[in-house]
Amino acid sequence: MPSYSVFVISAYLVGTVVLLWVALAPVFNKRTLLRQLKTRQARMERSK
Amino acid sequence: MNRVTLFFHKAGSPPWFYRVSGLLIPWFWAIFIVLTAIGLYLGLIKAPVDYQQGETVRIMYLHVPSAWMSMMIYGFMAIMGFIALVWRIRMMEVLVISSAPIGAAFTLIALITGSLWGRPMWGTFWVWDARLTSELVLLFLYFGVIALYKAYDEPRKAARAASLLSIVGAFNLPIIYFSVVWWNTLHQGSSFTGDGPGIHPSMLWPLLIMATTMKFYYGASLLSRARLTLLKQDHRKRWVQDLLSGENS
């Protein structure tokens, strides 16, 4: 019987990429959002 | 007020949720990493090769927990959506919309890894079999919930519409589960029956560990996404302003 390792490796590669993407996306989005909010807050405080 | 009621009252408060979830997330990730390492070691190295499936049996340790998670998360979304609509608890709406991308990811993994297992075992990547088709419908339901939430400008109205779709879409869960019983499918039947699992412990343990670790992944990922959604929705509110001021100082 052939080993079919390529199918096993592909499956785990796909799983890793998808799970990493789903886990990291909110981390990067939160950083961007916090940066935007801080910039806006600083601008508002300057204008007071 | 008893402790359970008090907990639910507190959990409904965004600042409390944000603070406590921030403490839980690192623990969930740590447990996830440790259990994944153990599960992968047992599943990919220690577990024996199946006499019929050969090495492809190792796909099971990712495919089966992902398929379970895809159904479990949608079930949670339906329950949380029901609570959100009936009792108007905003945190439940946030949890519904934060769960959808994670559920969609698990469904996608289940479908792709299933295809990669099916090619050598069935001779094809895809068949319009009842189990596969109903799982594909589940993926579209997840996409529907995400799209519906993004279609509205007002976040609470969007979340309520998404909650409603979560409840309506739950009809698909028993179809997925019983598809291998109700129809004559190419997909094999459940390995866990009333007579106990028909799997040798050397294969059962890594499967159960991988299934457990996925719950911690879901927990950590869900809390991260819920925190982000809260920040987006409440960015004009006092608690977020205080949070930003605290981080600046």
Side-chain angles (χ1 to χ4, degrees):
Chain A
M1 182 187 285
S3 76
Y4 299 126
S5 303
V6 67
F7 294 101
V8 180
I9 293 165
S10 306
Y12 279 89
L13 208 61
V14 168
T16 307
V17 169
V18 173
L19 290 181
L20 267 179
W21 174 265
V22 171
L24 292 178
V27 177
F28 293 127
N29 286 343
K30 189 185 164 193
R31 273 190 200 163
T32 311
L33 179 71
L34 284 177
R35 203 167 41 236
Q36 287 170 348
L37 291 177
K38 280 176 187 170
T39 311
R40 201 177 63 188
Q41 195 183 40
R43 203 184 307 132
M44 281 168 68
E45 277 171 11
R46 272 202 305 272
S47 65
K48 274 180 189 172
Chain B
M1 194 181 288
N2 68 42
R3 292 176 83 166
V4 177
T5 317
L6 186 67
F7 171 77
F8 279 105
H9 275 274
K10 277 184 175 174
S13 153
W16 187 87
F17 180 90
Y18 191 90
R19 190 170 52 81
V20 173
S21 58
L23 298 172
L24 288 174
I25 290 170
W27 287 101
F28 283 3
W29 281 129
I31 296 169
F32 166 73
I33 289 167
V34 171
L35 284 181
T36 303
I38 297 169
L40 289 179
Y41 171 71
L42 292 178
L44 297 181
I45 297 165
K46 289 289 277 183
V49 169
D50 186 80
Y51 81 104
Q52 279 183 321
Q53 301 177 39
E55 292 285 349
T56 56
V57 75
R58 301 194 193 282
I59 296 176
M60 171 181 76
Y61 305 115
L62 179 62
H63 170 74
V64 175
S66 300
W68 285 344
M69 288 305 293
S70 70
M71 292 171 66
M72 192 197 84
I73 293 173
Y74 203 92
F76 279 164
M77 282 169 59
I79 294 167
M80 291 185 295
F82 181 79
I83 295 170
L85 288 179
V86 173
W87 287 286
R88 305 265 167 163
I89 299 173
R90 186 172 149 241
M91 277 314 304
M92 288 294 157
E93 295 170 6
V94 170
L95 291 176
V96 169
I97 51 162
S98 304
S99 289
I102 311 168
F106 277 118
T107 314
L108 192 67
I109 292 171
L111 286 168
I112 293 174
T113 54
S115 285
L116 288 167
W117 179 86
R119 182 66 186 89
M121 291 299 107
W122 294 343
T124 178
F125 283 110
W126 184 264
V127 279
W128 292 101
D129 163 280
R131 172 59 69 86
L132 276 68
T133 308
S134 53
E135 188 73 10
L136 184 65
V137 170
L138 183 68
L139 181 66
F140 291 144
L141 282 168
Y142 276 121
F143 287 160
V145 170
I146 296 166
L148 196 58
Y149 179 70
K150 288 184 186 293
Y152 287 84
D153 289 330
E154 211 276 293
R156 291 214 63 185
K157 197 185 274 186
R160 281 200 285 273
S163 299
L164 187 64
L165 181 58
S166 304
I167 297 166
V168 173
F171 79 92
N172 191 40
L173 296 181
I175 296 177
I176 298 173
Y177 187 78
F178 291 109
S179 57
V180 289
V181 180
W182 291 342
W183 292 284
N184 187 18
T185 60
L186 192 55
H187 193 285
Q188 70 213 55
S190 175
S191 303
F192 291 84
T193 58
D195 308 326
I199 306 176
H200 190 268
S202 60
M203 292 175 167
L204 180 65
W205 277 107
L207 182 62
L208 292 179
I209 291 170
M210 288 302 284
T212 308
T213 196
M214 296 300 186
K215 311 285 185 290
F216 286 96
Y217 175 91
Y218 171 57
S221 226
L222 173 66
L223 294 180
S224 299
R225 284 176 179 272
R227 277 160 62 91
L228 179 66
T229 307
L230 282 178
L231 281 181
K232 279 181 184 167
Q233 289 185 0
D234 289 2
H235 64 92
R236 289 183 198 284
K237 290 191 177 166
R238 182 64 184 268
W239 74 270
V240 177
Q241 300 296 328
D242 289 346
L243 190 82
L244 291 173
S245 306
E247 284 195 7
N248 282 338
S249 60

